[in-house]
Amino acid sequence: MKAPNVCFFLLIVALTKFQSAHSQDQSGFISLDCGLVPKDTTYVEKTTNITYTSDGAYIDSGVVGRIDETLRTIFQRQVWNVRSFPNGQRNCYNFNLTRNQKYLIRGSFQYGNYDGLNQLPSFDLHIEMGNSFIHEIIHVLTQDRLQVCLVKTGETTPFISSLELRPLNNSTYDTQSGSLMTVNRVYFSHTPSFIRYDEDIHDRTWLPNIKENTTSIRTDLPVDTNNPYDVPQLVAKTAMIPENPTQPLNLRWTLDEITAQSYIYMHFAEIQNLEANETREFNITYNGGLRWFSFFSPPRFGISTLYNPRSVSSPDGTFEFTFTMTSNSTLPPLINGLEVYKVLDILQLETDQNEGDVCAPKVFLWESVNCSYPDSEPPFIISLNLTESELTGTITPEISKLTRLRELDLSNNDLSGDIPPFFADMNSLKLINLSGNSKLNRTVPSAIRQRIGNKSLQLL
């Protein structure tokens, strides 16, 4: 059965950054098994020793389900359950965190025929493994709260299996602007195993990769990985070299967006005991001879990370790196680990913390809401039109939190009670329409009458 064109995408609405985890524990980790019930349940995933909890404390919507029983022996336990969202255009997880901290934020989506429809939805996600998807970004948060929203953009139902937040070292993965979306993170080994926590203290996922016409070398000796990127020992202890040691080493990949800006991190360590007359030195070029780094010698049993301080792009989205021995070298080039990211611009994905996520992103602006999008601050609500919305009861004081609201239309509903005096304290408010609410007491508080008198507020 053909999947629909678009189901939904994972939306990071407001983000944050945490202290670096220097010890091999789970301090600062948030590990949610989405759909796990009851909501006070916790467990330790046996393959990673990560403690997972239910997502129930972070969201109050959605329907819980489980993937097909025959698949549960294949996948880690945190993706056995599913929280799906058949109702509403967007459903959001809410976290209270710390402003100006850096995080790896990862959502996993394991369909597993949880709904019995055998219809795999389509996602705006970037790492695919069978019918399982992982969406991962690195971002510095500008507010003290985080919302992760699933937004329905088609006919099928959004769902999520797990949601994980991991603190990163603040001095790593810097960008000139925007955030980083993971394209690939690999190490060079013949082993089929991927690497996660606790081999990687930040719980990054490293996939094994060996290219054609190359081979892998390894060491049992420890490698000094004491640099800000905390490269796992299993990554540092293996490396890829050309199968023919006299030939260059080549790496090639293509981004799905040809205009995307990219950041590339290469990790190197000399893992062979070199004789006095042996030297490993090479030049790194890309895309037809553009210089990346010259006369580079990996440190002996120590890690060194090379990366571009400014984003780079390719006319067709393809990057081809060539590692070539210098005339001084007696040994072929090598590489131990590679990380590739593309820049993700989320300037419109952050919203004033008192106004939720209704303004972002602009393309999915909520009905009945108008927002302002200034260049230097998060967007905010300026008008709210709830006419003929079948509202009942008294006017909620939550409206007073919309401090920059200019127009409010509550006409033609079934509201009752009094006109709240807090309207007078909303200095930006210029127009209130309360007509068509027959049960509403139309007695106007004195503070509101004063504003009407000085023509700073109009009441209908």
Side-chain angles (χ1 to χ4, degrees), residues 272-280 300 328-331:
Q272 292 183 316
N273 279 310
L274 304 189
E275 301 294 336
N277 62 344
E278 290 182 314
T279 301
R280 193 187 309 273
R300 297 190 181 190
N328 300 323
S329 186
T330 62
L331 296 171

Side-chain angles (χ1 to χ4, degrees), residues 65-76:
R66 301 203 90 188
I67 66 172
D68 190 289
E69 185 175 3
T70 60
L71 299 174
R72 295 176 201 164
T73 58
I74 303 174
F75 299 105
Q76 293 177 329

Side-chain angles (χ1 to χ4, degrees), residues 389-394 410-417 436-440:
S389 296
E390 300 182 359
L391 301 178
T392 61
T394 60
L410 299 176
S411 63
N412 300 315
N413 285 291
D414 194 26
L415 295 171
S416 57
N437 288 280
S438 59
K439 297 178 183 178
L440 187 68

Side-chain angles (χ1 to χ4, degrees), residues 75-339:
F75 299 105
Q76 293 177 329
R77 183 176 173 181
Q78 73 271 17
V79 298
W80 292 2
N81 298 300
V82 167
R83 184 176 295 272
S84 62
F85 302 96
N87 300 316
Q89 185 182 23
R90 73 179 70 204
N91 292 266
C92 299
Y93 287 84
N94 292 278
F95 303 90
N96 293 318
L97 299 171
T98 304
R99 186 188 301 265
N100 295 327
Q101 297 296 312
K102 185 173 290 183
Y103 245 107
L104 181 149
I105 303 169
R106 179 169 57 223
S108 298
F109 305 82
Q110 174 58 53
Y111 173 62
N113 199 28
Y114 78 90
D115 54 5
L117 299 177
N118 199 29
Q119 182 181 14
L120 176 64
S122 298
F123 298 83
D124 184 17
L125 301 169
H126 296 271
I127 303 176
E128 181 176 349
M129 303 176 189
N131 66 343
S132 176
F133 298 85
I134 299 172
H135 181 98
E136 178 183 288
I137 71 167
I138 295 173
H139 191 78
V140 178
L141 301 182
T142 61
Q143 300 185 24
D144 293 332
R145 65 194 290 270
L146 164 69
Q147 285 190 322
V148 179
C149 299
L150 285 83
V151 180
K152 185 175 183 178
T153 61
E155 296 300 320
T156 51
T157 299
F159 75 92
I160 187 169
S161 303
S162 69
L163 184 57
E164 298 164 315
L165 284 71
R166 304 293 186 247
L168 295 175
N169 191 316
N170 290 349
S171 63
T172 60
Y173 304 112
D174 289 333
T175 65
Q176 289 183 301
S177 65
S179 305
L180 294 177
M181 178 178 289
T182 305
V183 175
N184 217 345
R185 186 184 298 112
V186 299
Y187 73 112
F188 300 101
S189 172
H190 288 292
T191 176
S193 310
F194 64 87
I195 295 172
R196 276 194 66 174
Y197 184 86
D198 57 358
E199 285 87 357
D200 187 315
I201 64 173
H202 302 293
D203 193 27
R204 294 163 296 190
T205 300
W206 300 79
L207 302 177
N209 189 296
I210 284 292
K211 302 291 184 180
E212 187 178 0
N213 299 320
T214 67
T215 188
S216 179
I217 59 174
R218 69 180 309 274
T219 182
D220 293 324
L221 297 175
V223 178
D224 182 1
T225 58
N226 186 26
N227 84 356
Y229 291 90
D230 296 318
V231 175
Q233 281 290 312
L234 292 179
V235 174
K237 287 182 175 183
T238 61
M240 180 174 67
I241 61 173
E243 196 170 55
N244 182 340
T246 65
Q247 295 298 308
L249 178 65
N250 296 300
L251 285 175
R252 186 179 187 274
W253 64 87
T254 301
L255 302 180
D256 55 359
E257 298 177 36
I258 63 173
T259 60
Q261 298 292 313
S262 186
Y263 283 86
I264 301 157
Y265 298 81
M266 298 178 179
H267 307 288
F268 301 92
E270 178 56 74
I271 57 173
Q272 292 183 316
N273 279 310
L274 304 189
E275 301 294 336
N277 62 344
E278 290 182 314
T279 301
R280 193 187 309 273
E281 183 182 79
F282 49 91
N283 297 322
I284 308 173
T285 59
Y286 72 104
N287 291 7
L290 298 174
R291 188 170 70 91
W292 189 264
F293 207 93
S294 299
F295 302 101
F296 178 69
S297 290
R300 297 190 181 190
F301 296 98
I303 204 75
S304 179
T305 300
L306 301 183
Y307 63 93
N308 49 304
R310 295 180 177 83
S311 61
V312 294
S313 62
S314 174
D316 59 358
T318 296
F319 288 85
E320 186 160 1
F321 277 77
T322 302
F323 305 74
T324 307
M325 293 171 56
T326 69
S327 57
N328 300 323
S329 186
T330 62
L331 296 171
L334 59 70
I335 184 171
N336 305 70
L338 173 68
E339 300 178 75

